Amino acid sequence: MQKTECTRVLETANTYKVLAKEDLAPQIKLMTVHAPDIAEKAQPGQFVIIRVDEKGERIPLTLVDWEKEKGTITLIFQEVGVSTRKLSTVAVEDAILNIVGPLGNPSDIRHYGTVAVACGGVATAAAYPIAKALKQSGNKVISIVGARTANLLILEKEMKAVSDELHISTDDGSKGYKGFVRDVLRTLIEEGQSFDIVYAIGPPIMMKTVCEVTRPHGIKTIVSLNPVMVDGMGMCGACRVSVDGKTQFACVDGPEFDGHLVDFNLLIKRLKIYFPDERKADELYQNTEKNRHE
Ligand SMILES: Cc1cc2nc3c(=O)[nH]c(=O)nc-3n(C[C@H](O)[C@H](O)[C@H](O)COP(=O)(O)OP(=O)(O)OC[C@H]3O[C@@H](n4cnc5c(N)ncnc54)[C@H](O)[C@@H]3O)c2cc1C
Ligand code: FES
């Protein structure tokens, strides 16, 4: 069938070409994508929702970096299930079907004084633009970057460039302090380092335990919540979380909240609801892909 001018325009408008792709760590990839409208408006703390192809689910990914002049955005993602595995197969010069954004409220970047940016795993990608903006606003930035093991550490060089101090921790001690990000933060506080605010970004259990470290010292702690999201626009309710006993939608009311008011146990419980289905879908997808390549 002959394509009309109108169809061609729509196709161009709705496809987001991948311009660069890089492996940062096992199963963690960086992608630079042409998305000028999003690059124009992006701010630290915001995210996009992508759909790889027509059969794809909508998944949220943080805006890690953007260049208005080039019209590009940078995404970093870990392959954990069907949609992120599918995304990792999109080659340079190919396109992602839909990207909606920027979504969510930008981080409240201002001059606080001394700020700790505590992050872990792939969430370092989400912490990086925040640390960068905090540094540009004149804060003293003390970053604590953690990972399970040394080869899963990402953006070390970039975090160092936007931090006054950078501390590394690994669960197995293969690099930096042996232990968790919260332990490094606790030690710094016990040694007399004062913080005006702490940003904690990582898996829910990491954010919960960082909040337990800061709570007794009354240090305001901002967390970026990662519930399952569908529309990303406050209509479906999938991302509901409980903050100060009230239901909030992380996509439009967050994703950042006062960590001392968040019900992390509920967040962790809700993230596990679809776990059996997600695992089944992932196994099916991986088997289908394997058979296709045999
Ligand atoms: C605002 C926001 C920003 C995010 N930014 C990033 C990012 O920059 N990079 C990145 O890699 N991921 C990010 N995530 C998490 C990402 O959206 C999920 O990993 C993704 O939706 C998983 O989709 P999937 O189909 O590949 O796996 P699924 O089959 O949906 O899930 C597989 C497993 O991954 C885990 N998982 C699923 N969803 C989430 C989630 N929302 N948070 C944590 N673990 C989850 C669970 O263990 C699940 O069983 C973000 C989430 C939110 C809410
Ligand atoms: S993702 Fe639907 S309300 Fe937030």
Side-chain angles (χ1 to χ4, degrees):
M1 196 177 80
Q2 187 95 38
K3 282 183 183 172
T4 62
E5 193 52 38
C6 180
T7 348
R8 266 190 228 109
V9 169
L10 274 174
E11 280 179 0
T12 319
N14 288 331
T15 56
Y16 297 91
K17 200 190 255 189
V18 174
L19 303 175
K21 190 174 162 184
E22 194 188 324
D23 288 321
L24 296 186
Q27 307 208 304
I28 301 183
K29 287 192 170 59
L30 175 151
M31 261 185 190
T32 307
V33 184
H34 184 247
D37 292 351
I38 299 173
E40 180 66 36
K41 299 193 184 98
Q43 293 185 62
Q46 292 187 298
F47 62 94
V48 290
I49 289 204
I50 72 152
R51 201 162 63 110
V52 178
D53 57 29
E54 276 171 8
K55 289 187 179 162
E57 282 192 356
R58 298 161 65 90
I59 58 160
L61 293 176
T62 304
L63 283 157
V64 181
D65 213 347
W66 48 89
E67 286 192 53
K68 280 186 194 176
E69 302 71 30
K70 292 187 183 165
T72 60
I73 59 169
T74 301
L75 308 173
I76 292 179
F77 60 94
Q78 184 162 28
E79 293 170 47
V80 292
V82 176
S83 302
T84 45
R85 285 193 215 289
K86 253 191 198 177
L87 179 59
S88 76
T89 65
V90 180
V92 172
E93 292 297 311
D94 283 348
I96 296 166
L97 182 66
N98 311 128
I99 307 189
V100 182
L103 299 171
N105 297 299
S107 306
D108 185 10
I109 303 293
R110 53 173 107 157
H111 184 262
Y112 294 101
T114 303
V115 185
V117 178
C119 52
V122 71
T124 308
Y128 169 66
I130 297 171
K132 187 170 154 190
L134 286 166
K135 179 73 187 144
Q136 282 167 354
S137 298
N139 292 286
K140 179 176 180 183
V141 177
I142 300 181
S143 298
I144 310 165
V145 177
R148 263 190 292 124
T149 187
N151 72 346
L152 291 177
L153 283 164
I154 59 165
L155 302 183
E156 207 182 317
K157 190 163 53 74
E158 288 79 359
M159 285 300 284
K160 193 170 184 185
V162 299
S163 307
D164 294 271
E165 271 177 43
L166 175 70
H167 300 265
I168 300 286
S169 73
T170 49
D171 301 3
D172 64 1
S174 48
K175 187 159 187 182
Y177 174 86
K178 183 178 188 307
F180 302 112
V181 160
R182 57 142 197 262
D183 303 327
V184 179
L185 181 66
R186 186 188 290 118
T187 306
L188 289 171
I189 295 170
E190 283 170 1
E191 285 174 356
Q193 176 65 60
S194 65
F195 292 105
D196 297 292
I197 193 164
V198 170
Y199 272 81
I201 306 176
I205 190 68
M206 172 265 182
M207 296 190 281
K208 180 184 174 189
T209 52
V210 166
C211 288
E212 279 159 13
V213 169
T214 55
R215 194 192 305 273
H217 301 278
I219 306 169
K220 187 165 173 128
T221 303
I222 303 295
V223 294
S224 181
L225 300 187
N226 55 348
V228 169
M229 289 187 180
V230 180
D231 68 322
M233 291 171 193
M235 289 184 281
C236 70
C239 68
R240 63 188 179 277
V241 290
S242 175
V243 183
D244 201 15
K246 297 184 194 79
T247 296
Q248 302 270 290
F249 291 165
C251 64
V252 287
D253 301 317
E256 289 178 8
F257 295 97
D258 181 338
H260 294 153
L261 303 178
V262 170
D263 183 342
F264 282 104
N265 293 340
L266 183 65
L267 174 66
I268 291 166
K269 198 167 140 200
R270 294 202 71 239
L271 270 171
K272 284 184 187 156
I273 293 177
Y274 303 106
F275 192 66
D277 296 321
E278 288 162 351
R279 182 169 285 175
K280 221 186 283 170
D282 193 25
E283 279 167 11
L284 187 67
Y285 175 77
Q286 292 204 65
N287 286 337
T288 314
E289 284 299 290
K290 207 169 121 206
N291 293 338
R292 217 161 56 86
H293 290 106
E294 274 172 6

